[in-house]
Amino acid sequence: MPSQLSLVPPPATRRPAPPALVVVAHGSRDPRALSTVRALLDRVRALRPDVPVHLGHIELNAPLLPDTLAALGDSEAVLVPLLLSRGYHVKQDIPEMAAASRARTHLAAPLGPHPLLVDALQARLTEAGWGGTPHRTSAVVLAAAGSRDPDAKTDTARTAHLLATRLGVPVIPAYASAATPTVETAVRTLLARGRRHIALASYFTAPGRFATECAQAAPWTAAAPLGTHPSMAQLVLHRYEEAVARQTLPELASA
């Protein structure tokens, strides 16, 4: 007769809790920005209800990132910048705030460039009326915030290339500040090339001053910012999972 001990099932292995996801937004004086970011986080939570999702701002809005990290204590967190390219905030501000906290943080890549952003940009253009004119007369200005960091300009140019390939028309990146060309200059360049139907793709995560100013400079039609498009929530989680995988694979390799 087998012993009773052999009939006892082994204890279930408990999977460790996933690290918190901290979405790091820039912050804006425009109240629409904060409401948009909060709605985006609700979409992220719906996709991954097992992951604690928090919000921290670099400036202008509460909660500020240092306060969010302080509330997490010494727990593990992945910081996902709600930013579309590399630049000072990604390279300096966020790492410095993370280093000053007790939390065990890992910094994910910024959202862009990525094909999911192109999905969202195309959808916003379609919502604004894109697609009703011949390709030979159409073009797009990809309006972004701008940065003095050359890597940021490289990232935005990459997104412009991906969007041009998707739409089959020229796409010129333009900037609201700190970089050239401006939206007005990009429009003049396209008009000189015989492109009469010029749409503006709003390469901003949420409404704000820069997005509004760029939209006002659009000669034909202007798309809404990326906002809460489903691809944005998917991309936030993709960057989170990339960062988690980077931490997990070295542990597996050394096991």
Side-chain angles (χ1 to χ4, degrees):
M1 175 180 295
S3 68
Q4 293 298 315
L5 290 177
S6 65
L7 300 178
V8 177
T13 302
R14 296 183 61 184
R15 298 181 62 184
L21 192 171
V22 178
V23 174
V24 185
H26 182 275
S28 171
R29 293 184 176 87
D30 190 320
R32 296 173 298 169
L34 181 55
S35 61
T36 299
V37 171
R38 285 175 171 165
L40 176 62
L41 264 63
D42 287 341
R43 283 188 175 270
V44 173
R45 292 185 182 103
L47 291 173
R48 284 292 303 273
D50 61 312
V51 175
V53 178
H54 305 273
L55 173 62
H57 291 93
I58 297 170
E59 58 182 357
L60 298 176
N61 291 124
L64 293 172
L65 179 58
D67 296 330
T68 297
L69 294 177
L72 292 174
D74 62 355
S75 60
E76 189 174 15
V78 173
L79 278 54
V80 178
L82 198 64
L83 302 169
L84 300 172
S85 63
R86 293 168 291 173
Y88 187 83
H89 293 313
V90 171
K91 295 179 179 180
Q92 298 292 330
D93 284 338
I94 299 175
E96 288 174 2
M97 293 178 190
S101 76
R102 293 173 54 223
R104 292 172 288 124
T105 58
H106 313 288
L107 181 59
L111 298 187
H114 195 276
L116 283 169
L117 288 174
V118 178
D119 293 345
L121 287 166
Q122 183 179 20
R124 294 299 188 222
L125 284 167
T126 300
E127 293 166 1
W130 172 265
T133 57
H135 280 193
R136 66 180 180 277
T137 63
S138 301
V140 171
V141 173
L142 181 68
S147 170
R148 293 181 179 86
D149 190 311
D151 286 338
K153 198 166 185 177
T154 297
D155 291 345
T156 304
R158 174 61 179 161
T159 299
H161 174 75
L162 292 172
L163 184 59
T165 301
R166 176 77 62 85
L167 299 177
V169 302
V171 177
I172 293 182
Y175 305 95
S177 69
T180 56
T182 64
V183 171
E184 293 87 348
T185 300
V187 168
R188 287 196 296 269
T189 298
L190 290 168
L191 287 171
R193 297 178 185 175
R195 303 285 170 164
R196 300 190 302 277
H197 301 98
I198 302 170
L200 183 134
S202 188
Y203 199 41
F204 298 92
T205 56
R209 179 170 67 90
F210 284 161
T212 300
E213 290 175 354
C214 288
Q216 291 171 346
W220 178 45
T221 187
L226 299 163
T228 59
H229 188 275
S231 292
M232 292 291 285
Q234 294 170 22
L235 183 52
V236 167
L237 283 172
H238 174 68
R239 293 305 192 205
Y240 167 83
E241 289 160 359
E242 279 183 334
V244 170
R246 284 199 302 270
Q247 301 305 314
T248 303
L249 290 177
E251 295 177 5
L252 295 176
S254 61

